[in-house]
Amino acid sequence: KWIEKAPHVELPPKSQPRDKFLTYEQGQMFSHAAHRPHIKLFILIGMTTGARRGAILDLAWTRVNLDEGVIDFHYPNKFITKKRRSVVPIRQKLITALREAKSMATTTSVIEWNGKPVKSIKTAFQKTADRAGLPWCSPHVLKHTAITWLAKKGWSIEGIAEFTETSTET
């Protein structure tokens, strides 16, 4: 209680929305530039589900149902924030990739490298983006990409928001 009232602080204006996403061709280039299985799987999950980086890295095999074709990105022991996580149906290409990854898995984590769960994808992702000629691409661009591709396929804003657990305003 050193001061009676907090002073007014003028905040800078909100930044422009980020509108970067990969075209279908860039998505193919990016996927082919992935030389390691963990980054290839990360990219495929990100581009097809719209999940955020943290949700993908936190994903455990117990929340992947390959028989029903569903991934549950909810992390049971994490506090729920406004960056919600979804339960999404997955297509055959991702099911096939996940089956292959699971057959070689040595941990309970879906994204693993050298027998350990991957904590940070930053270096491998950036090297892959550079090799693909997309140095501006970040893991969050995969979410934008998934949303854009769903919109191009004719999905409604509400359907996309529900699928990706993103607000309709965003």
Side-chain angles (χ1 to χ4, degrees):
K1 300 196 183 217
W2 290 353
I3 57 175
E4 288 183 31
K5 144 180 158 180
H8 171 74
V9 176
E10 193 167 329
L11 298 175
K14 286 189 175 185
S15 62
Q16 291 294 316
R18 296 182 194 128
D19 57 357
K20 293 180 180 174
F21 62 91
L22 300 175
T23 64
Y24 294 116
E25 295 77 24
Q26 289 171 325
Q28 289 295 321
M29 287 175 16
F30 195 51
S31 185
H32 290 298
H35 291 224
R36 306 269 190 225
H38 70 293
I39 189 67
K40 191 177 235 17
L41 186 59
F42 179 91
I43 290 167
L44 184 58
I45 293 171
M47 285 194 300
T48 58
T49 67
R52 288 181 176 84
R53 175 187 44 86
I56 298 171
L57 293 179
D58 286 342
L59 187 60
W61 287 113
T62 55
R63 293 181 279 122
V64 177
N65 187 329
L66 296 172
D67 295 329
E68 292 183 23
V70 175
I71 293 178
D72 181 356
F73 285 106
H74 295 115
Y75 190 74
N77 299 327
K78 260 199 173 162
F79 179 75
I80 296 173
T81 67
K82 65 181 181 175
K83 294 187 183 226
R84 302 173 307 230
R85 296 178 177 201
S86 58
V87 177
V88 297
I90 52 176
R91 295 181 28 217
Q92 192 57 49
K93 183 176 181 177
L94 181 53
I95 291 172
T96 302
L98 287 166
R99 281 190 204 282
E100 184 179 333
K102 190 171 185 180
S103 72
M104 296 183 289
T106 59
T107 71
T108 59
S109 183
V110 173
I111 307 297
E112 66 173 45
W113 177 247
N114 263 356
K116 296 178 186 159
V118 174
K119 301 278 188 226
S120 173
I121 201 83
K122 192 182 229 178
T123 302
F125 193 95
Q126 192 57 58
K127 285 181 180 180
T128 303
D130 291 344
R131 267 194 307 279
L134 305 164
W136 51 267
C137 190
S138 69
H140 198 69
V141 168
L142 301 181
K143 183 174 184 72
H144 294 195
T145 298
I147 290 170
T148 302
W149 290 0
L150 291 171
K152 286 183 175 191
K153 288 180 182 175
W155 281 48
S156 70
I157 297 288
E158 292 77 18
I160 294 170
E162 184 179 336
F163 183 82
T164 61
E165 281 289 349
T166 306
S167 69
T168 53
E169 295 79 26
T170 301

